[in-house]
Amino acid sequence: MTGQGATPAAPGSAAPAAAGEFGRIDRYLKPLAQGYPGAFGLTDDAGTVAVPAGMELVVTTDAMVAGVHFLPDDPPEDIAAKLLRVNLSDLAAKGAVPLAYSLVTALPRDCAEDWLARFCAGLGEDQRRYGIHLLGGDSVSTSGPVTLTVSALGLVPAGRMVRRAGARPGDLVFLTGTVGDAALALLRVLGREPAALPLAADWAPLVARLRRPEPRLAFAPALRELASAGLDVSDGLVADLGHIAAVSGVAIEIRADRLPLSAAARTLLAAAPDLLATVLTGGDDYELAFTAPAAREAAVLAAGRACGVSVTGIGRVLAGGPAVTVLDAAGAPLPLDRPGWQHF
Amino acid sequence: MTGQGATPAAPGSAAPAAAGEFGRIDRYLKPLAQGYPGAFGLTDDAGTVAVPAGMELVVTTDAMVAGVHFLPDDPPEDIAAKLLRVNLSDLAAKGAVPLAYSLVTALPRDCAEDWLARFCAGLGEDQRRYGIHLLGGDSVSTSGPVTLTVSALGLVPAGRMVRRAGARPGDLVFLTGTVGDAALALLRVLGREPAALPLAADWAPLVARLRRPEPRLAFAPALRELASAGLDVSDGLVADLGHIAAVSGVAIEIRADRLPLSAAARTLLAAAPDLLATVLTGGDDYELAFTAPAAREAAVLAAGRACGVSVTGIGRVLAGGPAVTVLDAAGAPLPLDRPGWQHF
């Protein structure tokens, strides 16, 4: 872990901040590295990662910027949870078991110590929940918004990472959990929800899903055994299935009436059916979308039951150009003119 | 590699930028991942790293922010070189062989495409020079300054990473290359050089050292065999030796008259002796500072000659401390009241 010493391009600015930064590392970050020998208690420039024979490392990196990926006044504990969980979700989607992570914080010089304390408390809580440790990183100051980066490391048997490539015509398409909750919550958080919605709609569980997505790590081993291709839904269901279609060189067809919806989302869609587009193309679900051979359908559903993660079949893989088609209950293609389509 | 799709907190802003971002990834970043199978051509959410039996991974992370770590109008090729090299220098200081790196770019929405093209060209040039490949990362937009993060991965034999801990009383202190060049150049770049300096002083090689430090990877294997503790000089020679002293629990004494200086630095110091404090406490040298048992002195110097890296004995390790003392040619302690001392 290194402090923010550096080229002092702004006269006189680097040294005092650096002194404070080392104190902050001691107080808030070093405790997060306890229990992982390769972090050396954050006393070094680097950490080490031992990879058992027959395994290989999966590396994934996600950055979040205040005002882009979260709202500046979101609770710091929630920001920490989301930062770690979006990376853990990537590991889950690749079939990997979490091991350790690097953290880079770029904070304004006037960032309140209380913010950092709460942010690190949030990291600590999720480290215990998901069994991952802080390995190292960097702490720098910025004149811009809070910018946070996690690079997460996980283990898979060598050569067995679940990829976006690998979906084949005849495969079925599956989705864990429910879709659209986070995107609907974002409408609410931004004050852009349709006026027609019933007052009784309970937004709280949706907002919780937006702020604290649940990485589907419990399903990762089954995914590795059964899936032909997979990823986590971050850009939006249609866009992310589009990634699989593009990299695998296939067409994907899903059925809107088979989408797994939460009770709250179902209530909202009953009142404002146009929200289906939000459900299909909004992001931030962090559920696993994957394909598997049709012969494995029963095994996929059984694996979901065995690890307590709901899994729903939502469509199929077809031969043909990279494309994603959404059919309605009558089997007719839905016109979708939304950002989710931008990658085609 | 993931694009910058995300919670669109700013109305209507995420989607068009994201589309452009995917195009930029294709054009500028994917070529940097060629030749490293575990990057999967940046078509996935994650990359893989295979670690040979008996080896372990060294992970180091350094972030750079415009206006803090580099000047916003520095040439993008130089920024790329520095970003990669400060991380490669960390790997060298830990005795590691470079393998792959993750890159996170947080760029303003109006960042010129030409800037990114030149930045990536700089990365490509140094990838070829130092034998490292892009593994993955993230690309996000920011309302603040350009913020760049590299997490570099290297290999060492298991358990053999050179650490800050390990210096013992009786060890000698060594330094590769020359010290102070970058800090002197920074004075010049910021227009803060003393007025008394001779006009003939050639600043160009000093500025080159500031912008393009040379990671001492050639010496890394020798360092791993011979050093008891080590790091690269980034915060400043005295501050960084202080890190070794603190973590090893020793005192370090160096001799100012033994410091290896470049010809340009020697000319400047002859004209303005007070610049010695800049040499001792300025940062950004990215030379290796390390300790080794006195019995290995000849082997250390021979290893330097064998790999074409100058190595100079500059002091010794004593019981006591943690403290760093700088002695003048007569053996009297120099008073240093500079940021380099802040960690004591």
Side-chain angles (χ1 to χ4, degrees), chain B:
Chain B
M1 201 79 187
T2 48
Q4 65 187 38
T7 301
S13 59
E21 192 59 34
F22 280 99
R24 288 179 165 196
I25 290 173
D26 282 348
R27 194 165 315 136
Y28 301 114
L29 294 171
K30 284 189 177 177
L32 299 176
Q34 279 175 1
Y36 185 78
F40 304 113
L42 301 188
T43 59
D44 220 298
D45 312 285
T48 59
V49 178
V51 176
M55 306 294 279
E56 67 185 1
L57 212 60
V58 173
V59 182
T60 183
T61 305
D62 273 297
M64 297 186 3
V65 180
V68 180
H69 304 84
F70 58 90
L71 302 176
D73 59 354
D74 280 348
E77 297 88 347
D78 286 349
I79 297 169
K82 187 148 188 181
L83 177 67
L84 211 46
R85 291 176 186 203
V86 300
N87 280 281
L88 289 166
S89 176
D90 275 327
L91 290 182
K94 304 291 103 183
V97 175
L99 185 61
Y101 71 101
S102 298
L103 169 70
V104 177
T105 60
L107 304 179
R109 286 183 190 281
D110 62 356
C111 178
E113 180 146 339
D114 178 61
W115 190 95
L116 187 65
R118 292 176 58 191
F119 174 76
C120 289
L123 290 177
E125 187 182 321
D126 267 9
Q127 285 188 199
R128 289 184 290 276
R129 182 189 302 262
Y130 298 110
I132 192 169
H133 294 90
L134 181 62
L135 169 67
D138 201 2
S139 300
V140 297
S141 63
T142 179
S143 60
V146 171
T147 303
L148 305 163
T149 302
V150 159
S151 194
L153 309 176
L155 291 172
V156 288
R160 298 295 303 280
M161 185 182 98
V162 178
R163 295 184 49 198
R164 292 177 174 181
R168 281 180 292 267
D171 286 356
L172 300 179
V173 180
F174 297 91
L175 185 66
T176 64
T178 59
V179 65
D181 294 333
L184 293 169
L186 185 63
L187 291 180
R188 173 69 164 192
V189 167
L190 297 178
R192 286 193 260 152
E193 71 274 30
L197 293 184
L199 290 174
D202 186 1
W203 291 97
L206 300 180
V207 173
R209 290 257 302 163
L210 172 66
R211 293 206 168 138
R212 294 188 175 245
E214 184 61 44
R216 298 301 185 186
L217 290 162
F219 195 72
L223 192 73
R224 208 170 54 223
E225 293 304 313
L226 299 169
S228 53
L231 45 56
D232 65 332
V233 178
S234 54
D235 293 340
L237 180 61
V238 170
D240 284 313
L241 290 177
H243 295 318
I244 291 179
V247 179
S248 296
V250 297
I252 288 178
E253 182 187 87
I254 62 171
R255 287 276 298 268
D257 59 315
R258 292 196 189 159
L259 294 177
L261 299 176
S262 67
R266 204 171 289 279
T267 302
L268 294 175
L269 259 70
D274 283 355
L275 289 176
L276 177 61
T278 299
V279 168
L280 285 164
T281 64
D284 273 358
D285 286 313
Y286 301 102
E287 295 292 351
L288 306 181
F290 60 98
T291 60
R296 290 181 177 170
E297 181 176 17
V300 166
L301 299 176
R305 284 191 297 273
C307 63
V309 174
S310 73
V311 178
T312 308
I314 62 169
R316 56 183 183 153
V317 180
L318 304 168
V324 177
T325 308
V326 184
L327 305 180
D328 66 16
L334 285 175
L336 281 176
D337 179 21
R338 296 276 297 200
W341 291 96
Q342 72 202 359
H343 307 307
F344 299 95

Side-chain angles (χ1 to χ4, degrees), chain A residues 130-214:
Chain A
Y130 299 110
I132 192 168
H133 294 90
L134 180 63
L135 170 66
D138 200 2
S139 299
V140 297
S141 64
T142 179
S143 60
V146 170
T147 303
L148 305 163
T149 302
V150 158
S151 193
L153 309 176
L155 291 172
V156 288
R160 298 294 303 281
M161 185 183 98
V162 178
R163 295 184 51 199
R164 292 176 174 182
R168 281 181 292 267
D171 285 356
L172 300 179
V173 180
F174 297 92
L175 185 66
T176 64
T178 59
V179 64
D181 295 333
L184 293 169
L186 185 64
L187 291 180
R188 172 69 165 193
V189 167
L190 297 177
R192 285 193 261 152
E193 71 273 31
L197 293 185
L199 290 175
D202 185 2
W203 291 98
L206 300 179
V207 173
R209 291 256 303 164
L210 173 66
R211 294 207 167 138
R212 295 189 174 243
E214 183 61 44

Side-chain angles (χ1 to χ4, degrees), chain A residues 70-337:
Chain A
F70 59 91
L71 302 177
D73 57 354
D74 281 347
E77 298 88 347
D78 285 350
I79 298 169
K82 186 147 187 180
L83 177 67
L84 212 45
R85 291 176 186 204
V86 300
N87 280 281
L88 289 166
S89 176
D90 274 328
L91 290 182
K94 304 291 105 182
V97 175
L99 184 62
Y101 71 101
S102 298
L103 169 71
V104 176
T105 60
L107 303 178
R109 286 183 190 282
D110 61 357
C111 177
E113 180 145 340
D114 178 61
W115 191 94
L116 187 64
R118 292 176 58 190
F119 174 75
C120 288
L123 290 177
E125 187 182 322
D126 266 10
Q127 285 188 198
R128 289 184 291 276
R129 182 189 302 262
Y130 299 110
I132 192 168
H133 294 90
L134 180 63
L135 170 66
D138 200 2
S139 299
V140 297
S141 64
T142 179
S143 60
V146 170
T147 303
L148 305 163
T149 302
V150 158
S151 193
L153 309 176
L155 291 172
V156 288
R160 298 294 303 281
M161 185 183 98
V162 178
R163 295 184 51 199
R164 292 176 174 182
R168 281 181 292 267
D171 285 356
L172 300 179
V173 180
F174 297 92
L175 185 66
T176 64
T178 59
V179 64
D181 295 333
L184 293 169
L186 185 64
L187 291 180
R188 172 69 165 193
V189 167
L190 297 177
R192 285 193 261 152
E193 71 273 31
L197 293 185
L199 290 175
D202 185 2
W203 291 98
L206 300 179
V207 173
R209 291 256 303 164
L210 173 66
R211 294 207 167 138
R212 295 189 174 243
E214 183 61 44
R216 298 300 186 186
L217 291 162
F219 195 72
L223 192 74
R224 208 170 55 221
E225 293 304 313
L226 299 169
S228 52
L231 45 56
D232 65 331
V233 178
S234 54
D235 293 340
L237 180 62
V238 170
D240 284 312
L241 290 176
H243 296 318
I244 291 179
V247 180
S248 297
V250 296
I252 286 178
E253 182 186 88
I254 62 171
R255 287 275 298 267
D257 58 315
R258 292 198 189 156
L259 294 177
L261 299 177
S262 68
R266 204 171 289 278
T267 303
L268 293 177
L269 259 71
D274 283 356
L275 289 176
L276 177 61
T278 299
V279 167
L280 285 164
T281 64
D284 274 359
D285 286 313
Y286 301 102
E287 294 292 350
L288 306 181
F290 61 98
T291 60
R296 291 181 176 170
E297 181 176 17
V300 165
L301 299 175
R305 283 190 298 272
C307 63
V309 174
S310 73
V311 178
T312 307
I314 61 169
R316 56 184 183 153
V317 180
L318 304 169
V324 177
T325 308
V326 184
L327 306 180
D328 65 17
L334 285 175
L336 280 177
D337 179 21

